[in-house]
Amino acid sequence: MVDLRSDTVTAPTPGMRAAMAAAEVGDDVYGEDPTVAALEAEVAALFGHEAALFAPTGSMANQIALQLLVPPAQELLCDADAHVVTYEVGAAAGYGGISTRTWPASGGAPDPDQIAAMIRPDGFWAVPTRAVAVEQTHNLAGGQVIAVETLRRLRGVVDEAGVAMHCDGARIWHAHLADGVPLAEYGGLFDMLSVCMSKGLGAPVGSLVIGSAERIERARWLRKRMGGGMRQVGVLAAAASYALRHQLTRLVDDHARAARLAAELAPFGVVAAPPRTNLVPLDLRRSGWDAPSLAAAARERGVLISVLGPRIGRLVTHLHIDDDAVDRAVAVLVALLRSRPAA
Ligand SMILES: Cc1ncc(COP(=O)(O)O)c(C=O)c1O
C-alpha cells in the first residue's frame, strides 16, 4: 500500500528503534526521566524559550497552552479552520471553559488588520479577548506557510492590545525549511508554542508545549490533571530526539514529492492550492468524483488517500513515501481521474 493519508502513519525507523532501546529512563511524574528532561531542554533552546514540556499528543499540548493563556469564560481568537477548534473535540470549552471566536478561514494567510478589529478589550459586559492562535503550517489550508512578515505584524497587533499569541506548530518544522526561517525566530514571535514530533518528523508519539519557566511549571500540573502524566517515557523522548537529529532536514524531500504529486494531478483541476510543504489538498468538484468513491477506488488499487469532506481529499508525503511510491500513486490516481466513477 502507498499510504498518503497522513504523516502520522509512519513507523519508527531502525535507527530510531535502537535509540529507543538504549534510552535511560526514570519516572517522569517524579521528574526523574533524564531523556525526557534532555529533550525538553533541547526543544526549548531550539525555539529560544526557557522551558518545554513533553506531552502525549499535539491536541493536549495545544489545550494546555490555551488554558495557560485564556482564563475560563474569556476568549481565544483563531482561524475558522484551525485544528484547535475543528479537530480537538471541543476541548477548549470542555477543559478550559474557553470561549472561542473565529475569523473566516484564511487559507493560511491571516489578516492582521482583520484580527486587530476583532480583539475585544475588557469592559462593556463583553467577553474579553485574551489570546490569538495561529497554525504553522496550516493543516486544512493544505500545509500553507504563514509568512514571517505576517506573523511579525500580528505580533505588533497582539502587543498593542495586550493579549497573548499561541502557535499550533504541529508542522512548524516544515515552515522552517520551506521559508528558511530559524526556529528561534518563530519562537520569539509567540508566548507559547506546541510542536509535534509524531507527524513529519516520524517519532511514534509526542509533542512539546513551549514557553516561560513559570508557565511550563503550571503546564506540568495541567498535564497531570488531563491524565497526561507519563512514567518511563524516555523511550519515547529518545525517539523524538533521534527524529530531530536525523529526520528533520529530510522534510525538504517530502516537499519536493508533494510538489511532484500536485504537478501530475494539476491538469485534472483537482489540486486546491499549489503545495508549499508536504500536504496536497484536493478539491474534486470539477472531477466527476466524490472523495469517498475516489478513496475507495484508489484503495482497491493499493493507494490510500484522506477524505476530509464529500468532495475534499488530501495527499500527504512522509518518511515512507519515496520516489517509487509517488510514481505508483500518480499512475493509479491519473488513471482514475481520466476515467469516470462506476455508476
Ligand atoms: C495542525 C495540527 N495541530 C494539532 C494536531 C493534533 O495532534 P495529535 O493528533 O497528536 O493530537 C494535528 C493533528 O493532525 C494537526 O494537524
Side-chain angles (χ1 to χ4, degrees), residues 52-343:
L53 181 77
F54 194 46
T57 64
S59 301
M60 190 184 286
N62 275 332
Q63 294 301 327
I64 287 171
L66 298 187
Q67 288 174 64
L68 286 164
L69 298 178
V70 187
Q74 305 192 19
E75 182 181 78
L76 172 80
L77 299 181
C78 66
D79 189 286
D81 274 348
H83 196 279
V84 292
V85 290
T86 308
Y87 292 126
E88 297 183 14
V89 286
Y95 283 111
I98 295 169
S99 192
T100 50
R101 195 154 52 98
T102 57
W103 60 81
S106 66
D111 174 355
D113 295 331
Q114 182 184 41
I115 296 167
M118 288 176 72
I119 292 175
R120 276 195 295 232
D122 281 305
F124 315 105
W125 298 104
V127 179
T129 305
R130 293 293 179 227
V132 169
V134 298
E135 194 169 305
Q136 182 76 307
T137 64
H138 196 296
N139 182 348
L140 272 182
Q144 294 300 316
V145 181
I146 304 174
V148 71
E149 189 43 46
T150 304
L151 295 175
R152 284 196 203 110
R153 283 183 54 215
L154 202 47
R155 183 74 239 178
V157 165
V158 299
D159 281 345
E160 189 162 335
V163 306
M165 186 148 84
H166 170 65
C167 179
D168 174 351
R171 296 186 181 82
I172 200 165
W173 320 107
H174 297 269
H176 158 61
L177 290 166
D179 275 5
V181 175
L183 294 172
E185 186 168 350
Y186 283 137
L189 289 166
F190 297 100
D191 299 279
M192 302 206 71
L193 304 93
S194 68
V195 299
C196 190
M197 316 307 293
S198 70
K199 300 196 168 64
L201 286 185
V205 174
S207 283
L208 289 104
V209 51
I210 303 168
S212 68
E214 195 186 334
R215 284 200 173 110
I216 294 303
E217 206 38 53
R218 176 109 178 115
R220 201 169 290 283
W221 185 85
L222 287 169
R223 183 185 66 177
K224 188 74 174 73
R225 190 173 76 168
M226 294 169 84
M230 302 178 286
R231 303 293 176 173
Q232 286 71 19
V233 75
V235 286
L236 298 178
S241 284
Y242 181 92
L244 277 177
R245 243 160 235 98
H246 301 281
Q247 296 177 179
L248 171 59
T249 51
R250 62 153 301 287
L251 294 179
V252 295
D253 301 335
D254 294 348
H255 299 179
R257 291 186 179 116
R260 193 154 79 75
L261 275 170
E264 300 279 5
L265 302 184
F268 300 94
V270 295
V271 177
R276 290 284 331 277
T277 55
N278 67 325
L279 313 184
V280 183
L282 299 181
D283 177 345
L284 299 171
R285 277 175 298 187
R286 288 192 285 154
S287 74
W289 285 89
D290 62 62
S293 307
L294 183 66
R299 176 184 280 269
E300 277 173 21
R301 292 158 181 80
V303 175
L304 302 179
I305 70 173
S306 257
V307 175
L308 299 182
R311 295 220 169 224
I312 300 175
R314 190 186 66 178
L315 313 177
V316 185
T317 54
H318 52 76
L319 198 52
H320 302 327
I321 301 296
D322 58 14
D323 290 333
D324 278 357
V326 171
D327 289 343
R328 277 185 285 147
V330 165
V332 165
L333 294 172
V334 163
L336 289 172
L337 289 167
R338 274 205 185 112
S339 69
R340 289 272 133 188

